[in-house]
Amino acid sequence: EIVMTQSPATLSVSPGARATLSCRASQSVGSNLAWYQQKPGQAPRLLIYGASTRATGIPARFSGSGSGTEFTLTISSLQSEDFAVYYCQQFNNWPQTFGQGTKVEIK
Amino acid sequence: QLQLQESGPGLVKPSETLSLTCTVSGDSISSSHYYWGWIRQPPGKGLEWIGSIYYSGSTYNNPSLKSRVTISVDTSKNQFSLKLNSVTAADTAVYFCARQYPGSSQPDALDYWGQGTVVTVSS
């Protein structure tokens, strides 16, 4: 099973600042990676799939990059509604697995 | 607008079977080319993919749950279901259903989710 490791566990960022979240895979997953945002009491929301393609309706301030084992989610200018937990998911190898999440909190 | 809604008992006794149904509206399970999946989230923890099904009945299940999982589909009701047997307290979680893109080797990104339903395993 591929282990997805996200860092940092918690990221403290000021509104308007840039946030960079990392996701590392224990072996190559190609570009078969997605990012999700989850707010308290809500279901996750798909942000990015194919490592870098924004899902429908996702603002341009969210961008994904990387391939193989190293991936990054960047939020260019944090808005109040962006403070949440972010998960990466690989679906290159079976079973598909999620990272443990990065919490983005207000600094 | 596609919507998914989970339903089922919120409390299950240890060693019994957890049964949940996901009702899909706004899209037909049998006419789309998506997979339909189950994901769970224990209290305060991360996400775990349970398994997914295609309208034809083809399934992918997480081997970590061994043979305890059965996922089925009822196209006439536009629903799919999850059964998890021999439950323990470790199966206490929020259970989500979701639509999944059909990937090249297995279902991939989950683009529409239900709101989730809390299932507690306790006597």
Coordinates of all heavy atoms in Angstrom, one line a residue, chain A residues 3-74:
Chain A
V3 N 1.9 4.8 1.0 CA 1.7 5.8 2.1 C 1.9 7.2 1.6 O 2.9 7.5 0.9 CB 2.7 5.5 3.2 CG1 2.5 6.5 4.3 CG2 2.5 4.1 3.8
M4 N 0.9 8.0 1.8 CA 0.9 9.4 1.5 C 1.2 10.2 2.7 O 0.5 10.2 3.7 CB -0.4 9.9 0.8 CG -0.8 9.0 -0.3 SD 0.3 9.0 -1.7 CE 0.1 10.6 -2.3
T5 N 2.3 11.0 2.7 CA 2.7 11.8 3.8 C 2.6 13.3 3.5 O 3.2 13.8 2.6 CB 4.1 11.5 4.2 OG1 4.3 10.1 4.5 CG2 4.5 12.3 5.5
Q6 N 1.7 14.0 4.3 CA 1.5 15.4 4.1 C 2.3 16.2 5.1 O 2.4 15.9 6.3 CB 0.0 15.7 4.1 CG -0.8 15.2 3.0 CD -2.2 15.6 3.0 OE1 -3.1 14.8 3.1 NE2 -2.4 16.9 2.8
S7 N 2.8 17.4 4.7 CA 3.5 18.3 5.6 C 3.2 19.7 5.2 O 3.0 20.0 4.0 CB 5.0 18.0 5.5 OG 5.5 18.2 4.2
P8 N 3.2 20.6 6.2 CA 3.3 20.3 7.6 C 1.9 19.8 8.1 O 0.9 19.8 7.3 CB 3.6 21.6 8.2 CG 2.9 22.6 7.3 CD 3.1 22.1 5.9
A9 N 1.8 19.3 9.3 CA 0.5 18.9 9.8 C -0.4 20.1 10.0 O -1.6 20.0 9.7 CB 0.7 18.2 11.2
T10 N 0.2 21.2 10.4 CA -0.6 22.5 10.6 C 0.2 23.6 10.0 O 1.4 23.7 10.2 CB -0.9 22.8 12.1 OG1 -1.6 21.7 12.7 CG2 -1.7 24.0 12.2
L11 N -0.5 24.5 9.3 CA 0.2 25.6 8.6 C -0.6 26.9 9.1 O -1.8 27.0 8.8 CB 0.1 25.4 7.1 CG 0.8 26.5 6.2 CD1 2.3 26.4 6.5 CD2 0.5 26.1 4.7
S12 N 0.1 27.8 9.7 CA -0.5 29.0 10.2 C -0.1 30.1 9.2 O 1.0 30.4 8.9 CB 0.0 29.4 11.5 OG -0.3 28.4 12.5
V13 N -1.2 30.7 8.6 CA -1.0 31.7 7.5 C -1.9 32.9 7.7 O -3.0 32.7 8.1 CB -1.3 31.0 6.1 CG1 -1.0 32.0 5.0 CG2 -0.6 29.7 6.0
S14 N -1.4 34.0 7.4 CA -2.2 35.3 7.4 C -3.1 35.4 6.2 O -2.7 35.0 5.1 CB -1.3 36.5 7.5 OG -0.5 36.4 8.7
P15 N -4.3 35.9 6.4 CA -5.2 36.2 5.2 C -4.4 37.0 4.1 O -3.7 38.0 4.5 CB -6.3 36.9 5.8 CG -6.4 36.4 7.2 CD -5.0 36.3 7.6
G16 N -4.5 36.6 2.9 CA -3.9 37.3 1.8 C -2.5 36.7 1.5 O -1.9 37.0 0.4
A17 N -1.9 35.9 2.4 CA -0.6 35.3 2.2 C -0.7 34.1 1.3 O -1.8 33.5 1.0 CB 0.1 35.0 3.5
R18 N 0.4 33.6 0.9 CA 0.5 32.4 0.1 C 0.7 31.2 1.0 O 1.4 31.2 2.0 CB 1.7 32.5 -0.8 CG 2.0 31.4 -1.8 CD 3.3 31.7 -2.6 NE 3.5 30.8 -3.7 CZ 3.2 31.2 -4.9 NH1 2.6 32.3 -5.2 NH2 3.4 30.4 -5.9
A19 N 0.1 30.1 0.6 CA 0.2 28.8 1.4 C 0.7 27.7 0.5 O 0.2 27.6 -0.7 CB -1.1 28.4 2.0
T20 N 1.7 27.0 0.9 CA 2.2 25.9 0.2 C 2.2 24.6 1.0 O 2.7 24.5 2.1 CB 3.7 26.2 -0.2 OG1 3.8 27.4 -1.0 CG2 4.2 25.0 -1.1
L21 N 1.4 23.6 0.5 CA 1.2 22.4 1.2 C 1.9 21.3 0.4 O 1.8 21.3 -0.9 CB -0.3 22.0 1.3 CG -1.2 22.8 2.2 CD1 -1.3 24.3 1.8 CD2 -2.5 22.2 2.4
S22 N 2.5 20.3 1.1 CA 3.2 19.2 0.4 C 2.6 17.9 0.7 O 2.0 17.6 1.7 CB 4.7 19.2 0.9 OG 5.4 20.4 0.5
C23 N 2.8 17.0 -0.3 CA 2.3 15.6 -0.2 C 3.4 14.8 -0.9 O 3.8 15.0 -2.0 CB 1.0 15.5 -1.0 SG 0.3 13.8 -1.1
R24 N 3.8 13.8 -0.1 CA 4.9 12.9 -0.7 C 4.3 11.5 -0.7 O 3.7 11.0 0.3 CB 6.1 13.0 0.2 CG 7.2 12.0 -0.1 CD 8.4 12.2 0.7 NE 9.1 13.4 0.4 CZ 10.2 13.9 1.0 NH1 10.7 13.2 2.0 NH2 10.7 15.0 0.7
A25 N 4.6 10.8 -1.8 CA 4.2 9.4 -1.9 C 5.3 8.4 -1.6 O 6.5 8.8 -2.0 CB 3.6 9.1 -3.3
S26 N 5.1 7.3 -1.0 CA 6.1 6.3 -0.7 C 6.7 5.6 -1.9 O 7.8 5.1 -1.9 CB 5.6 5.3 0.3 OG 4.5 4.6 -0.2
Q27 N 6.0 5.7 -3.0 CA 6.5 5.3 -4.3 C 5.8 6.1 -5.4 O 4.8 6.7 -5.1 CB 6.4 3.8 -4.5 CG 5.0 3.3 -4.6 CD 5.0 1.7 -4.6 OE1 5.1 1.1 -3.5 NE2 4.8 1.2 -5.7
S28 N 6.3 6.0 -6.6 CA 5.7 6.9 -7.7 C 4.3 6.6 -7.9 O 3.8 5.5 -8.0 CB 6.5 6.7 -8.9 OG 5.9 7.5 -10.0
V29 N 3.5 7.7 -8.0 CA 2.1 7.6 -8.4 C 1.8 8.3 -9.7 O 0.7 8.6 -10.0 CB 1.2 8.1 -7.3 CG1 1.4 7.3 -6.0 CG2 1.4 9.6 -7.0
G30 N 2.9 8.7 -10.4 CA 2.7 9.4 -11.7 C 2.0 10.7 -11.4 O 2.5 11.5 -10.6
S31 N 1.0 11.0 -12.2 CA 0.2 12.2 -11.9 C -1.2 11.8 -11.4 O -2.1 12.7 -11.5 CB 0.0 13.0 -13.3 OG 1.3 13.5 -13.7
N32 N -1.3 10.6 -10.9 CA -2.6 10.2 -10.4 C -2.9 10.6 -9.0 O -2.9 9.8 -8.0 CB -2.7 8.6 -10.6 CG -2.7 8.2 -12.0 OD1 -3.5 8.7 -12.8 ND2 -1.8 7.3 -12.4
L33 N -3.1 11.9 -8.8 CA -3.2 12.5 -7.5 C -4.3 13.5 -7.5 O -4.4 14.3 -8.5 CB -1.9 13.1 -7.0 CG -1.9 13.6 -5.6 CD1 -1.0 12.8 -4.7 CD2 -1.6 15.1 -5.6
A34 N -5.0 13.6 -6.4 CA -6.0 14.6 -6.2 C -5.9 15.3 -4.9 O -5.3 14.8 -4.0 CB -7.4 14.0 -6.3
W35 N -6.4 16.5 -4.8 CA -6.4 17.3 -3.6 C -7.8 17.7 -3.2 O -8.7 18.0 -4.1 CB -5.6 18.6 -3.7 CG -4.1 18.5 -3.8 CD1 -3.4 18.4 -5.0 CD2 -3.2 18.5 -2.8 NE1 -2.1 18.4 -4.7 CE2 -1.9 18.4 -3.3 CE3 -3.3 18.5 -1.4 CZ2 -0.7 18.4 -2.6 CZ3 -2.2 18.5 -0.6 CH2 -0.9 18.4 -1.2
Y36 N -8.1 17.6 -1.9 CA -9.5 17.9 -1.4 C -9.4 18.9 -0.3 O -8.4 19.0 0.5 CB -10.2 16.7 -0.9 CG -10.3 15.6 -1.9 CD1 -9.3 14.7 -2.1 CD2 -11.5 15.4 -2.6 CE1 -9.4 13.7 -3.1 CE2 -11.6 14.4 -3.6 CZ -10.6 13.5 -3.8 OH -10.7 12.6 -4.7
Q37 N -10.4 19.7 -0.1 CA -10.6 20.6 1.0 C -11.7 20.2 1.8 O -12.8 19.8 1.3 CB -10.9 22.0 0.5 CG -11.2 23.1 1.5 CD -11.8 24.3 0.9 OE1 -12.9 24.3 0.4 NE2 -11.0 25.4 0.9
Q38 N -11.5 20.1 3.2 CA -12.6 19.8 4.0 C -12.8 20.8 5.2 O -11.8 21.0 5.9 CB -12.4 18.4 4.6 CG -13.6 17.9 5.4 CD -13.5 16.5 6.0 OE1 -12.4 16.0 6.3 NE2 -14.6 15.7 6.1
K39 N -14.0 21.3 5.3 CA -14.3 22.2 6.4 C -15.0 21.4 7.5 O -15.6 20.4 7.2 CB -15.1 23.4 6.0 CG -14.3 24.2 4.9 CD -15.2 25.4 4.4 CE -14.4 26.2 3.4 NZ -15.2 27.3 2.8
P40 N -15.0 21.9 8.8 CA -15.6 21.1 9.9 C -17.1 20.8 9.6 O -17.9 21.7 9.2 CB -15.5 22.1 11.0 CG -14.3 22.9 10.7 CD -14.3 23.1 9.3
G41 N -17.5 19.5 9.8 CA -18.9 19.1 9.6 C -19.3 19.0 8.2 O -20.5 18.8 7.9
Q42 N -18.4 19.1 7.2 CA -18.7 19.0 5.8 C -18.0 17.9 5.1 O -17.0 17.4 5.6 CB -18.4 20.3 5.1 CG -19.2 21.5 5.6 CD -18.9 22.8 4.7 OE1 -18.3 22.7 3.6 NE2 -19.2 23.9 5.2
A43 N -18.5 17.5 4.0 CA -17.8 16.5 3.1 C -16.6 17.2 2.5 O -16.6 18.4 2.3 CB -18.8 16.0 2.1
P44 N -15.6 16.4 2.1 CA -14.5 17.0 1.3 C -15.0 17.5 0.0 O -16.0 17.0 -0.5 CB -13.6 15.7 1.1 CG -13.9 14.8 2.3 CD -15.4 15.0 2.5
R45 N -14.2 18.5 -0.5 CA -14.5 19.0 -1.9 C -13.3 18.8 -2.7 O -12.2 19.2 -2.3 CB -14.9 20.5 -1.7 CG -15.1 21.2 -3.1 CD -15.6 22.6 -2.9 NE -14.6 23.6 -2.5 CZ -14.5 24.8 -2.9 NH1 -15.3 25.3 -3.8 NH2 -13.6 25.6 -2.4
L46 N -13.6 18.3 -3.9 CA -12.5 18.1 -4.9 C -11.9 19.5 -5.4 O -12.7 20.3 -5.9 CB -12.9 17.3 -6.1 CG -11.9 17.0 -7.2 CD1 -10.7 16.2 -6.6 CD2 -12.6 16.3 -8.4
L47 N -10.6 19.7 -5.2 CA -10.0 20.9 -5.7 C -9.2 20.6 -7.0 O -9.3 21.4 -8.0 CB -9.0 21.4 -4.7 CG -9.5 21.8 -3.3 CD1 -8.4 22.2 -2.4 CD2 -10.5 23.0 -3.5
I48 N -8.4 19.6 -7.0 CA -7.4 19.3 -8.1 C -7.4 17.8 -8.4 O -7.5 17.0 -7.4 CB -6.0 19.7 -7.6 CG1 -5.9 21.2 -7.2 CG2 -5.0 19.3 -8.7 CD1 -5.9 22.1 -8.4
Y49 N -7.4 17.5 -9.6 CA -7.2 16.1 -10.0 C -6.1 16.0 -11.1 O -5.8 17.0 -11.7 CB -8.5 15.4 -10.5 CG -9.1 16.0 -11.7 CD1 -8.9 15.5 -13.0 CD2 -10.0 17.2 -11.6 CE1 -9.4 16.1 -14.1 CE2 -10.5 17.7 -12.8 CZ -10.2 17.2 -14.0 OH -10.8 17.7 -15.1
G50 N -5.6 14.8 -11.3 CA -4.5 14.7 -12.3 C -3.3 15.5 -11.9 O -2.6 16.0 -12.8
A51 N -3.2 15.8 -10.6 CA -2.1 16.5 -10.0 C -2.1 18.0 -10.2 O -1.6 18.8 -9.4 CB -0.7 16.0 -10.4
S52 N -2.7 18.5 -11.3 CA -2.6 19.9 -11.6 C -3.9 20.5 -12.3 O -3.9 21.7 -12.6 CB -1.4 20.1 -12.5 OG -1.6 19.4 -13.8
T53 N -4.9 19.7 -12.5 CA -6.1 20.2 -13.1 C -7.1 20.6 -12.1 O -7.5 19.8 -11.3 CB -6.7 19.1 -14.1 OG1 -5.7 18.7 -15.0 CG2 -7.9 19.7 -14.8
R54 N -7.5 21.9 -12.2 CA -8.6 22.3 -11.2 C -9.9 21.7 -11.6 O -10.3 21.7 -12.7 CB -8.7 23.9 -11.2 CG -7.7 24.6 -10.4 CD -8.0 26.1 -10.2 NE -8.1 26.7 -11.5 CZ -7.0 27.2 -12.2 NH1 -5.8 27.0 -11.7 NH2 -7.2 27.7 -13.4
A55 N -10.6 21.3 -10.5 CA -12.0 20.8 -10.7 C -12.9 22.0 -11.1 O -12.6 23.1 -10.9 CB -12.5 20.1 -9.5
T56 N -14.1 21.6 -11.5 CA -15.1 22.6 -11.9 C -15.4 23.6 -10.8 O -15.7 23.1 -9.7 CB -16.4 21.9 -12.4 OG1 -16.1 21.0 -13.5 CG2 -17.4 22.9 -12.9
G57 N -15.4 24.9 -11.1 CA -15.8 25.9 -10.1 C -14.7 26.2 -9.1 O -15.0 27.1 -8.2
I58 N -13.5 25.6 -9.2 CA -12.5 25.9 -8.2 C -11.7 27.2 -8.6 O -11.3 27.3 -9.8 CB -11.5 24.7 -8.1 CG1 -12.3 23.5 -7.6 CG2 -10.4 25.1 -7.1 CD1 -13.0 23.7 -6.3
P59 N -11.6 28.1 -7.7 CA -10.9 29.4 -8.1 C -9.5 29.2 -8.5 O -8.8 28.3 -8.1 CB -11.0 30.2 -6.8 CG -12.0 29.6 -6.0 CD -12.1 28.2 -6.3
A60 N -9.0 30.1 -9.3 CA -7.7 30.1 -9.9 C -6.6 30.2 -8.9 O -5.4 29.9 -9.2 CB -7.5 31.1 -11.0
R61 N -6.9 30.7 -7.7 CA -5.8 30.8 -6.6 C -5.3 29.5 -6.1 O -4.3 29.4 -5.5 CB -6.3 31.7 -5.5 CG -7.5 31.1 -4.7 CD -7.9 32.1 -3.5 NE -8.9 31.5 -2.7 CZ -10.2 31.7 -3.0 NH1 -10.6 32.4 -4.0 NH2 -11.1 31.2 -2.1
F62 N -6.1 28.4 -6.5 CA -5.6 27.1 -6.1 C -4.9 26.5 -7.3 O -5.4 26.4 -8.4 CB -6.8 26.2 -5.8 CG -7.5 26.5 -4.5 CD1 -8.6 27.4 -4.5 CD2 -7.1 26.0 -3.3 CE1 -9.3 27.7 -3.3 CE2 -7.8 26.3 -2.1 CZ -8.9 27.2 -2.1
S63 N -3.7 26.0 -7.0 CA -3.0 25.3 -8.1 C -2.2 24.1 -7.6 O -1.8 24.1 -6.4 CB -2.0 26.3 -8.8 OG -1.0 26.7 -7.9
G64 N -2.1 23.1 -8.4 CA -1.4 21.9 -8.0 C -0.2 21.6 -9.0 O -0.3 21.9 -10.1
S65 N 0.8 21.0 -8.4 CA 2.0 20.7 -9.2 C 2.6 19.4 -8.7 O 2.3 19.0 -7.6 CB 3.0 21.8 -9.3 OG 3.5 22.1 -8.0
G66 N 3.5 18.9 -9.5 CA 4.3 17.7 -9.1 C 3.9 16.5 -9.9 O 2.9 16.5 -10.6
S67 N 4.8 15.5 -9.8 CA 4.5 14.2 -10.4 C 5.5 13.2 -9.7 O 6.5 13.6 -9.1 CB 4.7 14.2 -11.9 OG 6.1 14.4 -12.2
G68 N 5.2 11.9 -9.8 CA 6.0 10.9 -9.2 C 5.8 10.8 -7.7 O 4.8 10.2 -7.4
T69 N 6.6 11.3 -6.9 CA 6.5 11.2 -5.5 C 6.3 12.5 -4.7 O 6.0 12.5 -3.5 CB 7.7 10.4 -4.8 OG1 8.8 11.2 -5.1 CG2 7.8 9.0 -5.4
E70 N 6.5 13.6 -5.4 CA 6.4 14.9 -4.7 C 5.4 15.8 -5.4 O 5.4 16.1 -6.6 CB 7.8 15.6 -4.8 CG 8.9 14.9 -4.1 CD 8.9 14.9 -2.6 OE1 8.2 15.8 -2.1 OE2 9.6 14.1 -2.0
F71 N 4.5 16.3 -4.5 CA 3.4 17.1 -5.0 C 3.2 18.3 -4.1 O 3.5 18.3 -2.9 CB 2.1 16.3 -5.0 CG 2.1 15.1 -5.9 CD1 2.6 13.9 -5.5 CD2 1.8 15.2 -7.3 CE1 2.7 12.8 -6.3 CE2 1.9 14.1 -8.1 CZ 2.4 12.9 -7.6
T72 N 2.6 19.4 -4.7 CA 2.4 20.6 -4.0 C 1.1 21.2 -4.3 O 0.7 21.2 -5.5 CB 3.5 21.6 -4.3 OG1 4.8 21.1 -4.0 CG2 3.3 23.0 -3.6
L73 N 0.4 21.6 -3.3 CA -0.9 22.4 -3.5 C -0.5 23.9 -3.0 O -0.1 24.0 -1.9 CB -2.0 21.9 -2.7 CG -3.3 22.7 -2.7 CD1 -4.0 22.7 -4.1 CD2 -4.3 22.3 -1.6
T74 N -0.7 24.8 -3.9 CA -0.5 26.2 -3.6 C -1.8 27.0 -3.6 O -2.6 26.9 -4.5 CB 0.5 26.8 -4.6 OG1 1.8 26.1 -4.5 CG2 0.8 28.3 -4.2

